[in-house]
Amino acid sequence: MKLTYSKKEKLKSKKLIDQLFTEGQSVIVFPLRLVYIQTTFNDNIIAKAGVSVSKRNFKTAVARNRIKRLLRESYRLHKATYFNNLTTQHAFMILYIGKDIPSSTQIEKKMQLLFKKFTDKISES
């Protein structure tokens, strides 16, 4: 798996996002929440992911965009480590549920813990 986050890997389907929030399961490592669902894609991609930051907690678009940028970068760097062993296709939505603006090192550490918790939960089921 390459260390890229291409257009094919981005979660954009409105139907799939709605299905993700109605039927999906979640894993939480504060201040991050990962909502996931097992699905199938037409293209040969193991995972599609999206990021979201609450407008309620961060009023300015500048703050929301900064956090989303940090989330996407952390996902891009660590997805190969944790998702190379996946055999089924999944859709992910990474939500930032904290109330203060994090640093990039905080996001990196929490993202690794979140992915570790996800892979443990997938392997036991």
Side-chain angles (χ1 to χ4, degrees), residues 9-97:
E9 297 176 31
K10 294 180 181 172
L11 182 63
K12 295 184 178 188
S13 168
K14 177 99 170 94
K15 285 182 182 179
L16 190 55
I17 292 171
D18 290 341
Q19 182 184 10
L20 187 68
F21 284 111
T22 56
E23 302 172 17
Q25 298 175 320
S26 69
V27 175
I28 297 175
V29 173
F30 189 81
L32 300 176
R33 179 177 177 220
L34 177 73
V35 181
Y36 64 94
I37 191 168
Q38 184 176 340
T39 186
T40 57
F41 306 118
N42 294 337
D43 40 8
N44 194 13
I45 299 228
I46 293 181
K48 286 193 178 197
V51 296
S52 180
V53 179
S54 173
K55 193 173 185 177
R56 180 185 297 162
N57 296 339
F58 299 96
K59 302 295 184 203
T60 62
V62 174
R64 288 193 305 274
N65 290 339
R66 167 119 180 102
I67 296 169
K68 287 192 284 189
R69 209 174 307 121
L70 291 172
L71 290 173
R72 282 191 295 264
E73 179 66 8
S74 182
Y75 171 78
R76 181 187 73 83
L77 291 174
H78 299 293
K79 70 176 181 174
T81 310
Y82 294 97
F83 299 147
N84 268 343
N85 300 330
L86 284 180
T87 55
T88 57
Q89 296 176 328
H90 284 81
F92 301 111
M93 182 63 80
I94 302 167
L95 307 167
Y96 185 80
I97 55 175

